[in-house]
Amino acid sequence: MVAKEAETILPDGREYTMRRSLLTLHRWIALIATPLFLLITLTGVILAFRPILADLGSSASVYSVPTEQVAALVERLPGNAIRDIQTLDENSVRVSGVGDYALDSGALIGDGSDPLQSFFGTVQNLHKSLLLRADWLTQTLTYLMLGVILAGVFLGLPRIRNTLIGWHQMLAWGLLPLLILIPFTAVLMTLHIGAPELPIKPGGGRVDMQQALARVSEYPGGEHLVAIRGFKGGSMLVTLAEGRLVVTADAITPLSDEPYWPKELHEGTWAGAWSGSLNAIGGLVLVGLTLTGALSWIRRTRGNQLQLREREATTLVAFASQTGRALALAQDTRQLLQQAGEKVDLMPLGNLGAADLAAYRQILLLVSTTGEGDTPDSLRGWADTLRGEDMSEVRFSLLALGDRGYSHFCGGGHQVRDILLECGALELTEPVEADGDPAEYWQQWLSTLSPVIGLSLVVIPDGGGCEACTATLIERSRLEQGNDGGESYAIRLSVPEHLSFSPGDLLSVKLAEGGERLYSIGSSSQVTPGEIQLTVGLLRYVDDQGQEQLGRGSSEVCLNWQPGSEHAVSIRHHPGFNPPEDESTPVVLVATGCGIAPFLGFIEQRAAAGPNRGPIWLVFGNRYREQDYFYRDYLQRQVEAGVIQQIDTLFSRDGERQRYVTERLVERGEQLLEWLFQGGRLYACGRASTLGYSFDQALRRILSDAGLSPEQVASTLDEWSRNGVVKRDFFG
Ligand SMILES: Cc1cc2nc3c(=O)[nH]c(=O)nc-3n(C[C@H](O)[C@H](O)[C@H](O)COP(=O)(O)O)c2cc1C
């Protein structure tokens, strides 16, 4: 196994270089030629309708008329303008551009034009020579198109995925024979391969229409004519009921009846409407490929230039994306960080040097893989610019996007990581490798990262609903009894009665100066419709200049809002942190400080439930028992009412033996496991920087104290998270 991996990880240099060159050729030729490719393919699609219309529209009868009568007609007409005559029925002919004539009376019966044919004629001219007589250019483009398709084939088999480039590849491979057929037959035509040999000697001499008709009428079998058309070289092509002749100044030569296969295949004329339709589809796919290829390139280059900067940003989200996934996730990552109150820059990694990277406290990297384990194009040569730099100031965490279907899984991400580590950068977390759809891996990455960088990066699933409305402040009361620094508030808001929310959902508050903040809802619309309960801590911090600052969101809610004032809010459902649907499920609620916020709603819901309600075990921690035991009376009443079975409280500054909730959890590990193994659920809510980090450590400790091996501990924790046995809501 190890040997096999080592073998596949070592890139085969030659094959790799070849693929890269092929990709470059494929991409750049196609991009440069895009307008002309589109012109040729679109006109080709239109021309494919010629056999379709001919097949559907005509009775397919071929008429012939006496050649002598045609010669007599031509004699009466001004000779120079006549290049093409064809029969319309047994008694009339069309002299293209001159008129339609009845042969017996010589009367003019039409203007000699066929709008459809002349439209097709113009389109064909565009298709063959761009209306510029530039046959050489269209021929060159044909070779290039074939080259682009073949280079694409050698780039490898497609993978099924719903992206622009995924469709590009699947379309190309799905209809490959048809795609190749069209330019391939065109190339054969330009090389005259498969063409019936024209028995015209070079310099055979010009012949005019009148002479040609006179000579044909005397030629054996030439008495009846279907059509006559002038060739470029001055000779005439005559179609008889049986066979065709080429007439030059000094000879009449029968043309072989062999089909000209490349031409018939290229024009789709070999089976009438069917073959025409096939060619129309082929042409449309060529148009589609040109467009999807060009569009995905435009998107990528645009995306790779995206830069969003904030003043005094401390966190950088940097991305390197080939087809846009890493970029989209980077944008979402930035948004989550901002919601957590962080100042964030979003930049393409390829634009940044060592000094740029060192300017941030932490860097979140999202890097995808392309080619054969290669970094996206935007990082080409980037690693070389870093080599030898001292990057010991840089702290980063990596989400590598890839696909296990390729032999060098997440190779791009690994290359980036390797160079950063080589330059001494510090890695904040283990890298996370996303296989295929990265959404889940991204969430996993964020949840690992959250406690490390001390921010709550809660991903709210899409479609969770977001009902906007106005909330009115009913009441705000300070929770601490003393004046020792912290300030937290219980806040009651009234909202429209129809609004539906559950404890653990989030209330998004629109801030006066723009932006939003999310607060955990501690009530249930089923129990108290139209009333939302929040617990909000006023955030204080010291900025770079040593000045004390207040959090923008929390100061607005805790200090500026006045009773009766109205505010724009919306509900963000957070199914990952709602109480269990089955009210008989035992729940262990672990909260520190304002982390008690959602649990008030859990308790309220259980209090309103019938006697079958399951037990609650609350573990609450804060600083001082006397000052910071939030909602003490209410909680005591719930214990007396039998809603809460057990409360453990820990106060870190009271000088007691145990200071933190996690210490108590470890001490009561056996009891905790008993609750969980009996179907209980464990919820934890608090600051990411404190509880976020220590909580998982406590769980690990409890499981290993219970005799589990490190592997079993890790897999049990994973399983608990996956199955919703343990749920976390940590905030910044
Ligand atoms: C042409 C091509 C080559 C790829 N090569 C690899 C590869 O060698 N290893 C890998 O793990 N993933 C490979 N992938 C998968 C991508 O890395 C994966 O689809 C990723 O999610 C794309 O992210 P992006 O849209 O940000 O570029 C390749 C994808 C494409 C389209």
Side-chain angles (χ1 to χ4, degrees):
M1 183 67 197
V2 171
K4 184 168 177 288
E5 272 188 8
E7 192 181 274
T8 50
I9 284 166
L10 278 176
D12 174 336
R14 250 182 320 161
E15 185 193 325
Y16 172 77
T17 316
M18 195 186 85
R19 273 175 189 250
R20 262 235 84 92
S21 321
L22 279 175
L23 184 64
T24 309
L25 275 177
H26 177 81
R27 180 178 299 147
W28 285 107
I29 294 177
L31 280 173
I32 291 168
T34 291
L36 294 176
F37 275 180
L38 281 178
L39 193 71
I40 291 180
T41 47
L42 278 170
T43 48
V45 170
I46 296 172
L47 291 174
F49 280 87
R50 196 139 67 164
I52 300 176
L53 294 179
D55 200 3
L56 299 179
S58 81
S59 59
S61 310
V62 175
Y63 300 101
S64 60
V65 293
T67 312
E68 278 183 357
Q69 283 189 5
V70 181
L73 173 71
V74 168
E75 220 179 296
R76 296 204 316 272
L77 299 174
N80 283 347
I82 303 177
R83 296 200 47 80
D84 187 349
I85 300 176
Q86 34 188 307
T87 52
L88 294 171
D89 55 36
E90 301 92 349
N91 187 41
S92 55
V93 291
R94 166 163 298 154
V95 183
S96 291
V98 179
D100 299 335
Y101 295 91
L103 285 173
D104 48 6
S105 62
L108 183 68
I109 54 172
D111 67 0
S113 74
D114 179 344
L116 195 63
Q117 282 310 323
S118 65
F119 167 71
F120 277 127
T122 313
V123 174
Q124 179 156 10
N125 217 333
L126 202 56
H127 184 74
K128 279 176 74 175
S129 58
L130 308 178
L131 294 181
L132 298 168
R133 296 177 181 262
D135 291 20
W136 62 270
L137 182 56
T138 41
Q139 286 173 12
T140 313
L141 287 166
T142 309
Y143 286 100
L144 291 178
M145 192 181 288
L146 189 61
V148 167
I149 295 176
L150 292 177
V153 169
F154 286 108
L155 285 178
L157 286 167
R159 243 152 267 275
I160 297 172
R161 52 176 176 258
N162 188 16
T163 58
L164 213 52
I165 212 68
W167 281 105
H168 181 85
Q169 292 175 344
M170 291 188 287
L171 208 61
W173 276 96
L175 293 167
L176 190 61
L178 204 56
L179 287 186
I180 293 200
L181 184 78
I182 293 175
F184 180 63
T185 46
V187 165
L188 292 183
M189 282 163 69
T190 64
L191 297 172
H192 295 292
I193 293 174
E197 213 164 299
L198 271 189
I200 314 169
K201 290 183 221 103
R206 291 193 156 267
V207 62
D208 73 19
M209 181 73 75
Q210 215 173 326
Q211 289 166 347
L213 285 168
R215 284 173 42 209
V216 168
S217 68
E218 285 161 14
Y219 188 81
E223 302 83 11
H224 283 83
L225 178 89
V226 175
I228 178 163
R229 181 152 64 91
F231 269 160
K232 263 190 217 151
S235 54
M236 293 277 164
L237 174 71
V238 178
T239 309
L240 305 173
E242 303 279 328
R244 292 178 304 166
L245 306 172
V246 175
V247 183
T248 54
D250 48 16
I252 295 186
T253 323
L255 263 186
S256 91
D257 267 345
E258 275 172 49
Y260 183 6
W261 278 114
K263 189 166 190 289
E264 299 225 354
L265 286 170
H266 187 78
E267 294 179 354
T269 48
W270 52 278
W274 284 111
S275 52
S277 311
L278 216 57
N279 276 36
I281 294 173
L284 280 176
V285 173
L286 281 173
V287 173
L289 289 178
T290 314
L291 287 177
T292 47
L295 263 178
S296 94
W297 178 80
I298 290 171
R299 258 199 208 173
R300 198 173 59 241
T301 34
R302 282 237 178 109
N304 280 334
Q305 283 156 9
L306 180 76
Q307 298 198 6
L308 298 170
R309 288 169 181 265
E310 267 190 293
R311 272 187 55 201
E312 296 162 13
T314 45
T315 299
L316 169 69
V317 176
F319 60 91
S321 182
Q322 189 69 15
T323 54
R325 269 176 165 174
L327 164 67
L329 280 185
Q331 287 174 303
D332 291 348
T333 310
R334 171 176 181 265
Q335 198 180 354
L336 275 182
L337 284 159
Q338 285 179 324
Q339 278 165 8
E342 191 69 3
K343 289 204 160 49
V344 195
D345 280 351
L346 177 73
M347 307 274 278
L349 184 58
N351 292 8
L352 302 166
D356 304 313
L357 295 173
Y360 297 91
R361 193 170 62 209
Q362 60 224 358
I363 301 169
L364 276 51
L365 292 174
L366 299 97
V367 178
S368 79
T369 296
T370 190
E372 291 291 306
D374 202 7
T375 52
D377 291 346
S378 57
L379 284 187
R380 213 179 288 179
W382 176 78
D384 294 334
T385 66
L386 297 188
R387 244 170 263 289
E389 296 279 352
D390 172 13
M391 298 180 76
S392 49
E393 299 281 294
V394 173
R395 290 156 31 109
F396 75 96
S397 171
L398 170 71
L399 174 67
L401 277 68
D403 187 329
R404 279 195 197 275
Y406 292 88
S407 32
H408 311 296
F409 179 51
C410 287
H414 288 297
Q415 287 189 35
V416 167
R417 179 171 180 261
D418 289 349
I419 183 71
L420 291 178
L421 292 177
E422 190 185 307
C423 296
L426 178 79
E427 193 168 31
L428 293 168
T429 62
E430 285 287 304
V432 171
E433 296 172 332
D435 178 19
D437 182 353
E440 248 180 62
Y441 299 91
W442 176 61
Q443 296 191 15
Q444 183 196 328
W445 180 54
L446 293 177
S447 64
T448 319
L449 198 57
S450 282
V452 178
I453 61 176
L455 292 171
S456 166
L457 305 175
V458 185
V459 181
I460 316 288
D462 280 349
C466 182
E467 300 161 56
C469 64
T470 304
T472 311
L473 180 65
I474 307 174
E475 188 186 2
R476 178 177 54 214
S477 49
R478 174 112 186 244
L479 286 169
E480 287 89 354
Q481 307 300 311
N483 289 319
D484 189 43
E487 268 175 62
S488 301
Y489 293 84
I491 289 169
R492 275 202 308 138
L493 301 170
S494 92
V495 290
E497 295 236 331
H498 65 79
L499 202 65
S500 154
F501 50 87
S502 294
D505 282 347
L506 300 163
L507 186 74
S508 159
V509 173
K510 304 271 167 292
L511 300 185
E513 288 173 25
E516 65 167 358
R517 291 291 182 274
L518 297 173
Y519 297 106
S520 237
I521 294 177
S523 51
S524 159
S525 57
Q526 281 174 354
V527 184
T528 50
E531 196 176 310
I532 284 182
Q533 165 97 31
L534 306 178
T535 306
V536 181
L538 177 63
L539 182 69
R540 287 177 195 277
Y541 62 95
V542 176
D543 69 11
D544 294 348
Q545 272 82 49
Q547 302 284 317
E548 194 184 68
Q549 299 285 351
L550 296 178
R552 201 155 67 85
S554 58
S555 63
E556 202 168 309
V557 175
C558 298
L559 305 179
N560 302 354
W561 285 12
Q562 297 306 321
S565 59
E566 293 189 339
H567 308 278
V569 298
S570 58
I571 301 288
R572 301 271 282 270
H573 295 298
H574 188 188
F577 208 74
N578 291 146
E581 268 181 31
D582 179 355
E583 291 191 321
S584 66
T585 307
V587 287
V588 183
L589 310 177
V590 181
T592 52
C594 288
I596 190 82
F599 298 147
L600 294 175
F602 281 57
I603 296 164
E604 178 193 72
Q605 223 177 34
R606 287 270 158 116
N612 285 338
R613 64 174 164 239
I616 295 180
W617 170 12
L618 174 68
V619 186
F620 174 69
N622 214 339
R623 293 172 309 164
Y624 300 101
R625 175 176 300 275
E626 280 315 308
Q627 297 165 19
D628 306 323
Y629 190 168
F630 297 164
Y631 307 106
R632 180 200 312 232
D633 296 343
Y634 170 77
L635 294 174
Q636 294 296 344
R637 281 201 303 278
Q638 298 306 328
V639 174
E640 283 155 26
V643 177
I644 299 178
Q645 267 56 48
Q646 180 175 337
I647 298 191
D648 281 290
T649 49
L650 287 300
F651 294 95
S652 55
R653 303 206 183 161
D654 276 352
E656 289 170 8
R657 182 179 60 88
Q658 272 179 354
R659 297 168 61 195
Y660 300 112
V661 289
T662 42
E663 289 177 78
R664 182 62 57 87
L665 278 183
V666 171
E667 184 185 76
R668 307 243 154 116
E670 251 176 70
Q671 187 190 351
L672 179 67
L673 292 181
E674 218 176 282
W675 278 56
L676 298 187
F677 288 138
Q678 283 170 5
R681 296 279 183 265
L682 172 61
Y683 290 77
C685 186
R687 278 206 181 278
S689 49
T690 52
L691 187 60
Y693 182 66
S694 57
F695 178 71
D696 271 27
Q697 284 205 325
L699 292 185
R700 263 187 222 110
R701 172 82 190 278
I702 291 168
L703 287 169
S704 68
D705 284 355
L708 271 66
S709 68
E711 293 76 31
Q712 288 169 324
V713 168
S715 70
T716 308
L717 279 182
D718 282 352
E719 197 183 303
W720 279 352
S721 301
R722 261 200 320 275
N723 300 342
V725 174
V726 178
K727 296 173 182 241
R728 306 163 178 82
D729 184 357
F730 299 133
F731 50 87

